[in-house]
Amino acid sequence: MDIDKRKRELVKEFSPALENYSLKTKIWIGCLVAIILVGFYAFLVQLINGHIVTGMRDNVVWGIYIINFIFFVGISYSGAFISGILHFFKTPWKNSVSRIVELITVLSLIIGPIFILLCIGRLDRLHYLFLYPRIQSPITWDIIAIMTDLVGCFIYLYLTFIPDFAILRDNKELKVAKWQKKAYRILALNYQDTTEQRERLHKITRTMSVMIIVLAIVAYTVLAWIFSLTLQPGWNSTIFAPYFIIAGLYSGVGVIIISMYAIRKYFHLERYIRKVHFIAAGIVLLVMSLLFGYFTFSEYFARWFSHKENDVHLLDTLFNRYFWEFIFANYIGVLVPIVILFFKKFRTIKSITFAAIIAVLGLWLNRFLIVVPTLETPYLPIQDTRAEFVNYSATWVEYSLSLTGIAAFCLLFTLLIKFVPIIPMSGIIDYERDQKKYNKRQPKKAVK
Amino acid sequence: MKSNLMKHTFYASFIAILLFSNLGFAQQEEQKEEFDVRKYKTVYKFNSFKQSDNSRLLEVSFIVQNKKDRKDKIPVFEAEIYFYNVLNDEELLLGTAFTSKEGIAKLTLPSSQNYELDEDGFINLTARFIGSKGLKSAKKSLAVKDLHLELNLKEIDSVKTVIVKAYTLTLDSLQTKVPLEEADITIFVKGMLSNMPIKEGSIEDGVFEFEFPTNIPGDGDGDVTVIANIEDHDEFGNVAQEKFINWGSHKITPVKKVKNTLWSESAPLWMYIVLSILLLGVWANYIYTIFNLFKIKKEGKSINLATEE
């Protein structure tokens, strides 16, 4: 196999996505920028007036910012987990999804913690967290875990990009901006795809893939502990950490399926992202939905059965004030994906994507139901019982900044897939090289 | 979840509520005008309480009650009540008091107050409301004997004992103590919200005695206030006496010093060790990865140089 020729073919195949910005792309980017600008205005309003412009008050101190944080960070950790597994076990179909997963991992880990900053009332005191950290506080653990994980994910993502940067650097026919070529040259780190370099890179990528699986579990466990180590009704649970990990994986697989569908459709990558990939991802989603349903049932059943006064009060709130949200999050969000994915004949690309959308929406509402109703049912009755103090209602500022987070995620994703091919070219070459070696090793069948 | 865009609706609703509530007030005023005094009867009660400092509290409760609907009770507010000590049709004014919003008028007479007594030793008291435009005059009288209550809290053979003595004084100049023959008495311990009864019994031959329970915690310092109370007695009315003593079982046990608290300056040692090992392991791997990247770069550079040569 002529490797250089194959590299040129692949660059030629993926170059349109890197070279041209179609009108559709420009409109898409324009819309995202517009949403971000509105969000920036909302941020200024919040910065000038303080948290009074949000729905958060003395009682409900955490609103949809923290829900978005948990949601994005959950997606990131599940992405890291899945990506690590794909690399470590050299899954045959990893080339089709690994870059999507890696980009989702890093971008959601960048966007998620920004919501924490929006949630902090006194940003001017943020540096105190680093100047006077309390090691015994789960918040400090979470900060350390997120920062360590972010660095790890960046390194890991970069490792998987290096061979592709080298391919793009070496291709003279690629018509991209000068700065982009210069960037490829710098980022490729003189990688020449020699056996020694390749083996070294594979070795460290493999180690990092294990590292980020462990980090994802540790970091999301720590995030779950922020809730479960308090005595609040609805939070104080021993199964919260595994429950969070399963929930994160459930939403993460959902977002990956949605992204796979959008990218396949937009870049016409039907050859690479095939139905078999959707079915495989769908089965993972089915397993996750079953596990998530099991954990959710165990969690609420134990609370209901124990008849603890505050838990009963919380369940009353969930089944009355948040009835439809509860039904969507914990019934529709679990049962609909199970029904679609369980029966073979329902497993089409569109229905699997639909199941993923339902799962993601259900998961976001599930996070909402974990955070807000608990804060609305505190242990001690509050003195001033104005409705706005007891009950949480998100304002336009919070919605706008939440949409900005999603828009920023989509914008960065769009820009990154304009910088590197969404299907790793080096992965395809490695796969073909391995296949060739494998075929050589096979004894030739005797011909009669 | 609703947005702030609803604020205007909120303001409109608020104004509407204000308007309607004003209408409500107007309706109430109309109802007030419709108040028919003939439908109500006067409930006028008079009581005497001899307090622990030997002062006497005279209390009148003055309300009007709907003749048909007994739950419909309205206190009479700011009605002036005249309190008299009566002897042989002669009324001696003790003082006056106005009824409160709850319809209660109170007059406290000091322990040094001299009363005119009848031949049987009773103090005859009258509380009178002289009447107003809407309400007829009202009057209530009662007769009480002056009872002296002594409360003694003693430790007898290490047993905490409550001894209550009740007596009257003879009318002659000798003022000899005459023990009370029989009366029901209740002993309480003063609480934050209400008094807790600890013993009910009868005074016989002027004495009531019992062992103070050992399971009363008292306040933070173990102090208790013991109250002896004779209630609604036919001859003596209400008589109370109280005393303060350190008889509570509450002991301040020093709080065991908890090493790890929310406000501890440092975390437990194991936490530092675990965190350090974890972080060192992870960051060492990062450094190892970056070191390998530099090696890749270096190898590539040497290949480039070789190709150029």
Side-chain angles (χ1 to χ4, degrees), chain A residues 3 27 30 32 34 43 84 92 97 106 120 151 181 201 208 211 221 236 252 254 292 321 330 366 369-370 381 408 428:
Chain A
I3 302 282
I27 292 169
L32 295 175
F43 174 67
V97 291
V106 174
I120 295 171
V151 173
K181 282 205 165 182
L201 189 64
M208 278 303 293
M211 190 59 69
T221 300
N236 187 228
F292 176 74
R321 186 168 146 76
N330 300 320
N366 179 277
L369 293 177
I370 286 174
I428 297 168

Side-chain angles (χ1 to χ4, degrees), chain A residues 134-136 144 148 152 159 162 189-190 192 194 197 200 203-204 207-208 211 215 368 393-394 399, chain B residues 1-2 262 264 266-267 271-272 279 282-283 285-286 288-289 292-293 295-297 299-301 303-304:
Chain A
R134 291 176 60 76
I135 299 299
Q136 57 269 56
I144 294 170
T148 311
L159 294 179
I162 289 172
L189 284 180
N190 294 332
Q192 302 295 338
T194 61
Q197 277 184 319
R200 193 184 291 281
K203 191 176 83 181
I204 54 175
T207 319
M208 278 303 293
M211 190 59 69
L215 271 176
F368 179 86
S393 298
Y399 284 126
Chain B
M1 289 179 282
K2 59 194 175 199
L262 196 64
S264 294
S266 56
M271 216 175 255
Y272 287 105
L279 285 176
V282 174
W283 282 92
N285 185 60
Y286 291 173
Y288 172 74
T289 306
N292 272 286
L293 283 176
K295 268 193 161 181
I296 289 171
K297 194 179 179 184
E299 282 164 8
K301 206 174 180 181
I303 293 165
N304 279 344

Side-chain angles (χ1 to χ4, degrees), chain B residues 44 46 58-60 62 78-86 91-99 105-107 109 125-131 137-141:
Chain B
Y44 189 82
F46 179 33
L58 304 180
E59 187 182 286
V60 163
F62 193 12
E78 289 223 324
E80 193 173 16
I81 309 293
Y82 291 81
F83 294 94
Y84 297 98
N85 181 193
V86 184
E91 290 183 335
L92 185 74
L93 184 66
L94 295 169
T96 63
F98 286 94
T99 53
K106 287 178 179 177
L107 180 72
L109 301 167
L125 298 163
T126 297
R128 180 178 287 143
F129 170 63
I130 55 168
S137 62
K139 179 188 163 188
K140 206 97 185 184
S141 298

Side-chain angles (χ1 to χ4, degrees), chain A residues 24-92:
Chain A
K24 253 188 197 174
T25 314
K26 283 175 187 167
I27 292 169
W28 168 244
I29 291 174
C31 290
L32 295 175
V33 170
I35 295 170
I36 293 167
L37 286 174
V38 175
F40 186 69
Y41 170 70
F43 174 67
L44 285 179
V45 170
Q46 186 180 308
L47 196 71
I48 293 162
N49 301 308
H51 273 193
I52 193 74
V53 297
T54 69
M56 294 182 283
R57 292 293 181 271
D58 287 3
N59 217 35
V60 183
V61 290
W62 284 348
I64 58 171
Y65 291 154
I66 208 93
I67 296 154
N68 292 333
F69 163 71
I70 303 166
F71 187 72
F72 271 104
V73 171
I75 291 169
S76 167
Y77 293 152
S78 72
F81 191 85
I82 294 162
S83 172
I85 294 220
L86 288 174
H87 266 275
F88 189 76
F89 293 106
K90 291 185 178 173
T91 318

Side-chain angles (χ1 to χ4, degrees), chain A residues 120-150:
Chain A
I120 295 171
R122 293 292 302 264
L123 267 176
D124 55 313
R125 294 181 183 174
L126 183 68
H127 59 287
Y128 287 177
L129 268 172
F130 303 95
L131 290 177
Y132 315 107
R134 291 176 60 76
I135 299 299
Q136 57 269 56
S137 162
I139 301 274
T140 310
W141 307 343
D142 200 34
I143 290 165
I144 294 170
I146 286 175
M147 281 172 20
T148 311
D149 195 43
L150 189 63

Side-chain angles (χ1 to χ4, degrees), chain B residues 211-228:
Chain B
E211 199 180 306
F212 188 78
T214 51
N215 59 352
I216 307 288
D219 65 10
D221 299 324
D223 292 332
V224 285
T225 303
V226 182
I227 302 165

